Amino acid sequence: LTDLGYQILGCTALFRQIHSPEKLEKPFMALFSAMAWFRFCYSLRGEPWFGQRILPILFALRDTVVFFFFAFICVCAATHAHYNLEVIKDHDHPHPFYGSVLQVVRL
């Protein structure tokens, strides 16, 4: 499934770059290159000199997903509360929600 996503993202990035060669396709190309490096690192898990040492790290990362998901939900709740309080009244930000996100993330 991740290989399919990698291929779709790569084709999208390349086609968008081909159709507008005068400007650089930054977002899709950046994601595509990052995925290429992660894919390379993940393919090294089968090597005997690297794989046995990287497997505990992969298991530890898998165990932290729940923590980061919970932290993300807490940040969303705080942002929602801050936005509903309508604390941000200045015009420095393009949207009050964006201002609320910045305030909560800074905390």
Side-chain angles (χ1 to χ4, degrees):
L1 187 61
T2 57
D3 286 336
L4 180 64
Y6 171 75
Q7 291 173 355
I8 290 172
L9 186 65
C11 289
T12 303
L14 292 175
F15 285 138
R16 287 181 63 142
Q17 183 65 47
I18 289 171
H19 287 299
S20 59
E22 62 276 354
K23 67 176 188 163
L24 187 62
E25 177 57 42
K26 291 182 183 179
F28 286 107
M29 200 59 80
L31 287 172
F32 176 64
S33 62
M35 284 183 72
W37 280 104
F38 287 136
R39 190 171 181 223
F40 169 71
C41 288
Y42 195 69
S43 70
L44 289 176
R45 75 187 191 286
E47 296 294 326
W49 56 273
F50 187 76
Q52 296 301 322
R53 294 184 187 107
I54 197 70
L55 284 176
I57 296 171
L58 292 176
F59 290 132
L61 285 174
R62 191 179 321 159
D63 292 340
T64 60
V65 168
V66 174
F67 168 75
F68 284 114
F69 179 72
F70 185 74
F72 175 73
I73 295 299
C74 290
V75 168
C76 289
T79 301
H80 191 195
H82 190 271
Y83 178 75
N84 284 341
L85 289 174
E86 295 180 355
V87 177
I88 303 256
K89 296 282 187 192
D90 60 354
H91 299 287
D92 293 339
H93 306 293
H95 194 273
F97 179 74
Y98 180 68
S100 295
V101 169
L102 288 180
Q103 287 292 104
V104 169
V105 171
R106 285 182 199 161
L107 293 176

